[in-house]
Amino acid sequence: MQSNLENAIKIVKNLPVEDLNELQEVIIKEQRAKQAKNGSNENVDDEIDRFKKSQVWLEENREEYMNEWVCLYGDKLIAHGKDALEVDRKAKDAGIEAPFLEHIVEEKYPFGGW
């Protein structure tokens, strides 16, 4: 007899990408709600780990999202678009209280010389 988790995994593997994105938002929202209900606070190490994963994601995906705002939760893309307020709203709708937003723009380094 298969467990509920095993059945859920089989279903998830057959979902189209659009549904996976929506499912991801639901899962994050549920995790946040349960953490708040249990009074558990994530520790600083978890937050630092998530930030580092976000930085790696940004390096790997910069070109694909050029001139857009992205919201990340670790290495997971929660929302993206041209309008920062809309991306922020989508992140909060997904249950992220303090979203990590980044505006991806072409990096221009100033230089000087003689």
Side-chain angles (χ1 to χ4, degrees):
M1 176 128 193
Q2 292 185 332
S3 70
N4 287 339
L5 178 59
E6 290 169 327
N7 288 330
I9 290 170
K10 282 183 180 180
I11 293 169
V12 168
K13 286 183 177 183
N14 291 312
L15 290 175
V17 174
E18 299 82 26
D19 290 348
L20 286 173
N21 291 334
E22 188 174 337
L23 178 61
Q24 179 180 4
E25 290 175 11
V26 170
I27 290 171
I28 291 170
K29 196 172 191 175
E30 277 299 307
Q31 286 174 329
R32 291 280 185 173
K34 287 182 181 183
Q35 287 173 342
K37 183 178 177 182
N38 294 334
S40 66
N41 292 323
E42 294 181 75
N43 65 34
V44 174
D45 290 337
D46 290 338
E47 291 179 29
I48 291 171
D49 184 53
R50 224 178 13 259
F51 177 78
K52 288 177 182 178
K53 287 179 179 178
S54 294
Q55 296 306 305
V56 170
W57 187 96
L58 286 167
E59 283 300 313
E60 292 174 351
N61 297 282
R62 177 171 295 284
E63 292 300 317
E64 185 176 349
Y65 296 93
M66 189 58 66
N67 298 315
E68 287 191 35
W69 287 90
V70 296
C71 173
L72 301 170
Y73 189 81
D75 58 358
K76 302 214 179 348
L77 178 66
I78 303 305
H80 67 94
K82 301 282 184 189
D83 183 345
L85 293 175
E86 180 67 16
V87 172
D88 183 69
R89 185 193 60 74
K90 287 178 182 177
K92 289 184 177 169
D93 287 349
I96 299 175
E97 294 175 26
F100 173 78
L101 270 67
E102 177 84 14
H103 190 209
I104 301 178
V105 294
E106 193 172 334
E107 295 178 354
K108 296 180 181 177
Y109 298 103
F111 63 93
W114 295 92

